[in-house]
């Protein structure tokens, strides 16, 4: 039973791997049939090792892995935040503005909510509208509280619920390469984002 | 002595450096060009910074250009000895208190590697007062045990600066010894001198009283009350006395880099029998000439320079004098060489300056009966051992390791006619102190010994040790004898 | 949503052999307390929960990596553990030190997964701090000088990690070694925003971190806690340390 399940997994994940894969490769991998097989295309340091499921602002369920192949600029915020988050959103917008036209399609800007209770898909959609971020390059995600805490742990983002409405949190924008490996982090509000922009441009095709 | 060779070498080196400077003045773009702003000084080449443990300092920068300087500092939490028989867990930059001395020049770009040893329990960081930037580097260097943080900065302002740990609770990290000095020399370096040393004062707070044996824990309440048990130079009592004294020769100019780690107390730094020819006030550019005692704030430093004209032992103190004689803030500079009658004729007794004159203030000993049960010294061997511990904790600073005393200042206890003549008088002196002129082995002394707050058993132990060492008459002093004198 | 977390649990259990071991747990009656660090002056309610009587030992952890090879030293993904992971183990199945000493040099991810494989979880920081207020006789000994001195003293004592579990006192709830052997991971250790610039951390600059958590260090008893929070603030989830272990907790099932 378990083996069969795994088989399906492997098959599914192999579809996602680039088309260069010959049938021979597929057989070889299937023969190995270890859990390693699913991770074959990702390194030890990739966030795609995290087995978490997320909901987007459109109410779609996605796995993190589906973002593979794009450069990610990612920040953790919550929508009812009055102080730091608007500035973080502005920082993300500023970064986006500085990415040349020919590279922009290779970049995904991701906001991950640290307040999944409040930040329902409906609320995230509203937030995207308010901030004029309806384009596909802006992605808003929410997960379970546990997955969110784990995800934050990977990014070294610390946050704490201070009151029903307020969280205290680190202000960190992270850049991941196409394989999901952390390439750059900037910490602070309204900081000079030159290096972050450069990191994205260098990575994007 | 070594210093002669050193001096010769040094002079040669200076000639050499001068020659090189003359030859290369047209090639060397740095020395010919004056930069308005230290930020613009270019760096070339990398160099691993030489780090030294106190009381020593690294080689002067001299005429070298600004460089990229790699500083590699390891934090160690380790047990050390505060004074004989008293153990303490020190937290250190580089294994010593104060931490390693860092020597740089204006325009250097410092790449700082801060390593927190895996055996350590706590996270730490470093705030260097020489840094222009948030927290002095504290935030960038916050490092968990078993990790390393690297950050870099450019030194822009010449001067002598304190560095210290700034991890919560900050006071505790500093109180456990996490401080040191970083020197930023001006373009072309400081004037060469014959001897340079590194001294840093700190105050310590322990659960037990001064000299109480065993491993002593840090006492937070005493630290908050600023009620120090130990005030010491270079991390422990006796770090700069006896065999550990710093040295110089007659005619030499001595430069001391003096810091004060605190956490609480301000130092009134003074060298008994010397005047500072020059003090770089607070470690900055302002030079004051002919200073007797200079004030060094907690978290501050000063550079003092003086020429030693006559031989002898010069005593370094925090002139808040009880700290010097009762808490450990006492060091020594031993100067060898020819006497100079013109400067110091020797008939004038070198007295210790004491504001109250000859009045002796004894410590109130209330609740004597409620004192903690002490370890009773049973056998003669134990009495000797405990007596030696106590001697090394409270007497050694003045009377020295072998009871030889200090000429013109503190009388000898070795082969001492004065001591052997009258045991009750000796007990009385330990209990109640002594001042005024006395003659010991034919030499006159006129200084002050303060009353020692010791139990009868302690007095008996320490005197038994003294009487049975260094050629004295082997009297065995008992607590009963002490009690009899006390109740006179 | 629900459906997905069930699926996720299935997925997890595929990669995790459930096996309960070292099953002794003690019940901590809940209550309300004022933590050192958090919303200013706000008390926290801790629901009753179960907590392991001892920290997880070397022997416990060896069994775990044998059943779950992906947590072996040579297999572990670097996203989940840095180089110091089990650094004192001579190979995948050989630890150094005592069998019943607390396991150390494990990352937060590893500790979290261990507890999940036992059908448990890591205690929250509030739960841990709440249980750790107790001395032998009372649930809140924070104002007792001797108790605080005991904690501060062990923080200053080197190499306490290689002592058998149970070698310190049994607290009011019947739990051992919360103080005296190793620091311990908590589920939400990364709620601490101590930047390392502690002098700035007390500055309540709300704009900096939104709702600002505050540290109230008004009295002595907080210094021991202060050091724990500073330690947590210095850690990342991949990190591990020789003086850091863990134990598990569990909800009380009605």
């Amino acid at each position: 039973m378990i083996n069969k399940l795994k088989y399906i997994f492997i098959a599914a994940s192999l579809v996602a791997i680039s088309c260069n894969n010959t049938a021979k490769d597929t057989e070889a991998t299937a023969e190995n049939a270890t859990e390693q097989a699913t991770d074959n295309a990702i390194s030890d340091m990739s966030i795609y090792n995290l087995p978490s499921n997320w909901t987007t602002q459109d109410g779609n369920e996605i796995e993190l892995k589906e973002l593979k192949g794009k450069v990610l600029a990612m920040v953790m915020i919550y929508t009812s935040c009055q102080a730091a988050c608007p500035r973080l959103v502005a920082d993300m917008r500023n970064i986006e503005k500085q990415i040349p036209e020919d590279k922009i399609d290779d970049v995904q800007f991701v906001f991950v909510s640290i307040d999944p209770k409040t930040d329902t898909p409906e609320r995230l959609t509203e937030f995207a509208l308010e901030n004029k971020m309806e384009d596909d390059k802006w992605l808003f995600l929410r997960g379970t509280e546990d997955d969110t805490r784990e995800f934050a742990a990977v990014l070294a983002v610390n946050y704490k619920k201070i009151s029903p409405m307020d969280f205290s949190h680190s202000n960190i924008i992270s850049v991941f390469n196409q394989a999901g490996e952390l390439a750059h982090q900037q910490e602070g509000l309204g900081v000079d984002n030159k290096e972050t922009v450069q990191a994205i441009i260098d990575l994007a095709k | 002595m070594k210093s002669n060779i050193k001096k010769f070498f040094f002079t040669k080196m200076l000639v050499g450096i001068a020659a090189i400077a003359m030859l290369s003045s047209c090639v060397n773009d740095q020395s010919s060009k004056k930069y308005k702003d230290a930020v613009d000084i270019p760096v070339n080449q990398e160099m691993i910074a030489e780090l030294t443990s106190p009381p020593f300092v690294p080689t002067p920068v001299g005429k070298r250009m600004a460089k990229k300087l790699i500083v590699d500092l390891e934090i160690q939490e380790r047990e050390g000895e505060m004074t004989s028989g008293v153990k303490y867990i020190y937290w250190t930059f580089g294994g010593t208190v104060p931490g390693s001395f860092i020597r740089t020049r204006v325009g250097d770009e410092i790449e700082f590697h801060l390593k927190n040893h895996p055996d350590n329990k706590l996270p730490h960081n470093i705030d260097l007062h020489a840094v222009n930037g948030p927290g002095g580097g504290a935030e960038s260097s916050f490092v968990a045990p078993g990790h390393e943080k690297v950050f870099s900065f450019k030194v822009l302002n010449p001067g002598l600066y304190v560095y210290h740990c700034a991890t919560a609770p900050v006071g505790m990290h500093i109180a456990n010894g996490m401080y040191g000095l970083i020197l930023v020399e001006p373009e072309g370096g400081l004037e060469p001198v014959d001897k340079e040393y590194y001294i840093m004062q700190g105050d310590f707070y322990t659960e037990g009283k001064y000299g109480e044996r065993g491993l002593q824990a840090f006492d937070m309440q005493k630290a908050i009350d600023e009620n120090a048990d130990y005030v010491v130079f270079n991390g422990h009592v006796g770090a700069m006395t006896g065999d550990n004294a710093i040295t110089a020769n007659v005619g030499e100019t001595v430069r001391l880099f003096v810091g004060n780690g605190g956490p609480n107390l301000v130092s009134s730094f003074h060298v008994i029998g010397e005047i500072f020819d020059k003090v770089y006030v607070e470690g900055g550019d302002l030079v004051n000439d002919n200073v007797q005692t200079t004030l060094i704030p907690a978290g501050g430093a000063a550079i003092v320079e003086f020429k030693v004209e006559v031989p002898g032992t010069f005593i370094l103190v925090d002139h808040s004098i009880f700290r010097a004689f009762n808490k450990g803030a006492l060091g020594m500079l031993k100067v060898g060489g020819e006497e100079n009658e013109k400067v110091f004729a020797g008939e004038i007794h070198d007295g210790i300056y004491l504001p109250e004159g000859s009045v002796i203030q004894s410590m109130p000993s209330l609740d004597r009966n409620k004192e903690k049960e002490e370890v009773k010294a049973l056998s003669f061997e134990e009495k000797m051992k405990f007596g030696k511990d106590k001697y090394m904790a409270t007497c050694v600073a003045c009377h020295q390791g072998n009871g030889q005393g200090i000429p013109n200042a503190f009388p000898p206890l070795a082969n001492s006619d004065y001591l052997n003549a009258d045991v009750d008088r000796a007990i009385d002196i330990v209990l109640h102190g002594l001042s005024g002129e006395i003659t010991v082995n034919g030499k006159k002394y006129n200084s002050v010994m303060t009353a020692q707050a010791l139990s009868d058993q302690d007095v008996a132990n320490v005197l038994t040790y003294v009487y049975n060492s260094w050629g004295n008459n082997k009297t065995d002093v008992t607590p009963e004898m002490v009690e009899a004198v006390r109740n006179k | 949503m629900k459906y997905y977390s069930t699926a996720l649990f299935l997925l997890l259990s595929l990669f995790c052999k459930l096996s309960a071991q070292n099953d002794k747990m003690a019940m901590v009656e809940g209550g309300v307390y004022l933590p050192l660090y958090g919303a200013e002056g706000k008390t926290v309610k801790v629901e009753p929960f179960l907590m392991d009587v001892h920290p997880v030992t070397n022997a416990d952890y060896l069994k775990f990596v044998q059943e779950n090879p992906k947590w072996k030293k040579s297999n572990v993904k670097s996203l989940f553990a840095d180089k110091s992971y089990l650094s004192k183990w001579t190979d995948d199945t050989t630890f150094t030190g005592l069998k019943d000493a607390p396991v150390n040099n494990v990352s937060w991810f590893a500790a979290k997964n261990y507890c999940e494989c036992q059908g448990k979880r890591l205690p929250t920081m509030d739960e841990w701090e709440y249980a750790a207020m107790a001395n032998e006789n009372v649930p809140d000994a924070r104002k007792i000088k001797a108790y605080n001195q005991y904690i501060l003293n062990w923080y200053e004592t080197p190499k306490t990690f290689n002592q058998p579990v149970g070698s310190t006192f049994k607290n009011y709830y019947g739990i051992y070694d919360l103080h005296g052997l190793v620091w311990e991971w908590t589920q939400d250790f990364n709620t601490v925003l101590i930047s390392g610039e502690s002098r700035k951390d007390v500055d309540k600059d709300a704009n900096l971190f939104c709702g600002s958590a505050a540290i109230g260090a008004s009295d002595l008893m907080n210094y021991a806690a202060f050091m724990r929070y500073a330690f947590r603030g210095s850690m990342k989830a991949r990190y591990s340390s020789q003086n850091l272990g863990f134990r598990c907790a569990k909800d009380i099932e009605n």
Side-chain angles (χ1 to χ4, degrees), chain B residues 53-74:
Chain B
S53 301
F56 303 107
V57 294
T59 322
V61 302
K63 300 270 188 286
R64 80 161 168 82
M65 297 186 193
K67 289 195 162 114
K68 181 173 172 189
L69 204 59
I70 317 267
V71 175
D72 212 334
L73 198 54
E74 186 192 51

Side-chain angles (χ1 to χ4, degrees), chain B residues 4-154:
Chain B
N4 278 336
I5 300 167
K6 249 203 186 137
K7 214 171 132 184
F8 173 63
F9 178 70
F10 203 85
T11 327
K12 249 178 97 161
M13 220 164 71
L14 278 182
V15 173
I17 289 171
I20 291 167
M22 269 157 69
L23 282 173
S24 62
S25 61
C26 24
V27 190
N28 177 342
D29 73 323
Q30 255 191 6
S31 57
S32 55
K33 218 166 135 185
K34 279 278 173 263
Y35 290 92
K36 260 220 317 265
D37 197 333
V39 176
D40 303 327
I41 299 173
V43 298
N44 59 357
Q45 297 179 313
E46 270 191 15
M47 183 166 111
I48 308 275
E50 177 197 357
L51 301 177
T52 57
S53 301
F56 303 107
V57 294
T59 322
V61 302
K63 300 270 188 286
R64 80 161 168 82
M65 297 186 193
K67 289 195 162 114
K68 181 173 172 189
L69 204 59
I70 317 267
V71 175
D72 212 334
L73 198 54
E74 186 192 51
I75 295 165
Q76 301 172 11
E77 298 166 8
R78 56 190 298 187
E79 187 180 279
E81 200 164 57
M82 183 71 76
T83 184
S84 182
V86 181
K87 300 266 192 295
Y88 191 77
I89 302 288
Y90 291 95
W91 299 348
T92 70
F93 286 111
T96 57
V97 177
S100 309
F101 194 97
I102 307 167
R103 194 158 191 161
T104 70
R105 60 145 284 173
V106 168
D108 276 350
E109 196 178 290
I110 317 292
E111 185 181 286
F112 209 104
H113 295 243
L114 190 65
K115 296 169 173 169
N116 194 348
H117 195 280
D119 283 352
N120 294 349
K121 276 223 170 63
L122 294 162
H124 297 285
N125 62 2
I126 191 165
D127 165 356
L128 300 114
H129 291 182
V131 169
N132 293 275
E139 214 166 332
S140 322
S141 61
F142 190 43
V143 58
H147 285 261
E148 174 184 359
K149 278 280 173 74
V150 182
F151 65 108
S152 77
F153 58 93
K154 199 170 174 77

